[in-house]
Amino acid sequence: YYIDKAYESFKLPKYIKVKEQYDPDPEFKTVAFPNPEEGADSLELAIKTANANSSTLILANDPDADRLAVAEKINGEW
């Protein structure tokens, strides 16, 4: 995936992927609507994964990568 190459090229720390959403799925079984601008509902698994890994930043794109959502955990709230 390009994200792996980008992180390696810029020597960024390894990102934590949402396993259930990493591989393309045209059925979008993990969300009601796949666009990240829909808010917390579309980021539910990302928030769960971030919390489990003590992450404070989420970057999420939609399936064709023309939309991006960014969430930051501040004072324990997303």
Side-chain angles (χ1 to χ4, degrees):
Y1 293 110
Y2 290 112
I3 188 72
D4 296 314
K5 291 179 182 180
Y7 269 66
E8 289 170 14
S9 294
F10 290 101
K11 298 182 178 24
L12 296 171
K14 185 69 176 155
Y15 62 92
I16 300 166
K17 65 184 176 185
V18 177
K19 293 175 187 169
E20 301 90 341
Q21 296 175 329
Y22 189 68
D23 293 317
D25 175 9
E27 300 296 321
F28 309 112
K29 295 177 193 97
T30 63
V31 293
F33 195 72
N35 293 336
E37 72 271 15
E38 296 301 313
D41 289 342
S42 65
L43 296 178
E44 185 176 329
L45 286 174
I47 290 170
K48 180 180 176 184
T49 300
N51 285 338
N53 289 279
S54 301
S55 298
T56 59
L57 185 66
I58 294 172
L59 302 175
N61 63 280
D62 70 329
D64 62 357
D66 67 344
R67 297 181 186 112
L68 174 72
V70 178
E72 182 179 17
K73 191 173 192 179
I74 300 173
N75 297 323
E77 298 292 324
W78 288 102

